[in-house]
Amino acid sequence: MLSYQQARDWLLERAKPLNTHQELPLMQALGRVLAAPVVAGVDVPPHDNSAMDGYALRCADLAPAMAVSQRVPAGSVPTPLAAGTAARIFTGAPIPPGADAVIMQEQAEVDGEGRVAFDLGLAASIGLARLPVLPKLRVAAFFTGDELVEPGLPLGEGQIYNSNRYWLLPALQQLGCEVVDLGHVGDALAPTRQLLRDAAAVADVVITCGGVSVGEEDHVKAAVEAEGELTLWKVAIKPGKPLAYGKLGEADFIGLPGNPVSGYVTLQTLIKPFLLKRMGLEVPPPEAQRLPAAFAWDKPDMRRSEFLRVRKVGGELQLYPQQGSGVLMSCAWADGLVWLQPGQLVAPGDELAYLELT
């Protein structure tokens, strides 16, 4: 089995950004990844201007009280500054010839309003109406298991609700993926193979949840090997050991564990960085804060890295009391994960590696 760090690096090496692009109107480009650098065709600003509302003056003329010789709103053309005077000036307005400073109006006891520009405003400020962006990463997902029932329907004997569908699909959408929801397939090889073919035909990445273990009713592994190739199976992390990666034609395949917490932790620690890189974004190494534990952990896994669900309270890390891989409430409650090395014991006060959940 690969370690967490080895698996993360291995996946990122195989995450190839999309190599096509599209042009979108500016208002539709929010949240998309630029496919090429945006180069200004004009100077911004096109002239020396004021970054604030205030009074333009010549420093050598500064005095406790100065006459105001002109008013310069944005879009106007000022006249040369008269000696010994100040010009009332507004944000974005050209600096009058002869002035070399602006005193903000707050320091002159004049009320004003602040302005700020974000994201698309920068492109609009240089006159661009359209931007070249990478297409959205298309991710097709489906869920496996005869035991799964959709919420709202009655549960039969031995059945459970398909909770994975309702945290995974929104998480993919929040990342900026275009999600294709292919629903649910039972524990049978032939329909699983067909759904994999359907998914690979429409998506850049295919994600399944469940069915990647080695039980007699776990058919995803065999189906992927029949339809494509499987090149990673099992990672030395807890929860999340049965993680699979492969190829279905041109599409990447990712098989998440079926236990809700295992799938969630695997998505956060390994698959999210992979998808972000596939979307064309830079993925830095995981940055862990060092925070003290308010709990003890005396039953470490000796072979696998562990990710415990914790919450930061008063500068300390509190542990959710039930750390089982089926306790999805631990993920809803937590704001981060404690990253423990194989065999690592924890005593109260120990400083631990904390990864914030986003």
Side-chain angles (χ1 to χ4, degrees):
M1 290 187 293
L2 298 180
S3 69
Y4 163 58
Q5 297 96 321
Q6 290 170 330
R8 191 178 190 275
D9 292 343
W10 191 94
L11 285 168
L12 289 177
E13 287 175 4
R14 287 155 180 80
K16 306 301 182 186
L18 299 169
N19 59 7
T20 60
H21 76 275
Q22 57 191 170
E23 284 202 356
L24 293 182
L26 199 58
M27 290 303 293
Q28 296 178 23
L30 182 64
R32 302 295 287 275
V33 179
L34 283 174
V38 174
V39 180
V42 296
D43 291 334
V44 180
H47 43 67
D48 291 339
N49 67 10
S50 176
M52 64 196 78
D53 291 353
Y55 295 86
L57 49 83
R58 185 182 299 107
C59 288
D61 292 342
L62 182 60
M66 301 178 71
V68 176
S69 58
Q70 59 178 305
R71 187 175 184 272
V72 189
S76 65
V77 179
T79 60
L81 188 65
T85 69
R88 181 71 167 109
I89 195 168
F90 298 88
T91 304
I95 300 293
D100 57 16
V102 174
I103 295 179
M104 64 179 66
Q105 65 179 15
E106 289 80 3
Q107 294 182 353
E109 300 182 353
V110 177
D111 293 335
E113 62 181 33
R115 298 181 184 180
V116 66
F118 295 106
D119 302 326
L120 300 182
L122 297 176
S125 73
I126 59 173
L128 296 181
R130 300 176 69 85
L131 291 175
V133 298
L134 296 180
K136 283 193 173 184
L137 189 70
R138 287 175 62 85
V139 179
F142 65 89
F143 305 83
T144 70
D146 288 339
E147 75 279 12
L148 297 181
V149 175
E150 290 301 305
L153 299 176
L155 286 177
E157 188 70 25
Q159 293 183 320
I160 60 173
Y161 287 118
N162 184 7
S163 60
N164 285 331
R165 185 181 186 188
Y166 296 91
W167 65 258
L168 177 58
L169 299 185
L172 295 173
Q173 291 168 341
Q174 288 175 350
L175 281 180
C177 302
E178 181 180 339
V179 178
V180 181
D181 179 6
L182 295 179
H184 165 255
V185 65
D187 290 320
L189 182 60
T192 303
R193 289 183 62 177
Q194 182 60 56
L195 207 50
L196 287 173
R197 289 194 293 269
D198 295 342
V202 299
D204 304 301
V205 180
V206 178
I207 296 182
T208 65
C209 204
V212 293
S213 295
V214 293
E216 293 181 5
E217 298 301 317
D218 294 318
H219 297 287
V220 171
K221 182 175 183 287
V224 173
E225 291 174 329
E227 297 296 329
E229 61 176 344
L230 199 63
T231 51
L232 173 67
W233 183 53
K234 292 188 179 180
V235 178
I237 64 173
K238 181 180 180 180
K241 176 181 175 182
L243 169 71
Y245 172 84
K247 296 289 287 189
L248 296 166
E250 295 299 315
D252 293 295
F253 167 77
I254 294 168
L256 294 177
N259 281 327
V261 177
S262 298
Y264 179 82
V265 169
T266 304
L267 180 81
Q268 291 290 334
T269 57
L270 292 172
I271 305 309
K272 183 177 177 180
F274 173 84
L275 295 175
L276 290 174
K277 187 174 178 184
R278 285 285 275 117
M279 294 163 64
L281 296 169
E282 292 294 324
V283 181
E287 294 185 5
Q289 303 176 48
R290 304 293 299 184
L291 294 172
F295 63 91
W297 187 253
D298 58 3
K299 46 185 177 182
D301 192 293
M302 302 307 294
R303 297 180 58 203
R304 295 184 284 171
S305 295
E306 294 186 88
F307 293 94
L308 307 179
R309 276 74 68 208
V310 297
R311 178 185 285 181
K312 186 166 52 175
V313 178
E316 293 184 322
L317 299 176
Q318 293 187 356
L319 183 73
Y320 192 78
Q322 302 295 328
Q323 291 287 314
S325 60
V327 186
L328 191 55
M329 183 60 189
S330 67
C331 299
W333 174 89
D335 61 13
L337 302 172
V338 157
W339 176 10
L340 299 181
Q341 300 303 313
Q344 183 176 348
L345 294 166
V346 177
D350 287 353
E351 287 203 342
L352 303 177
Y354 168 80
L355 299 171
E356 186 174 6
L357 292 171
T358 57

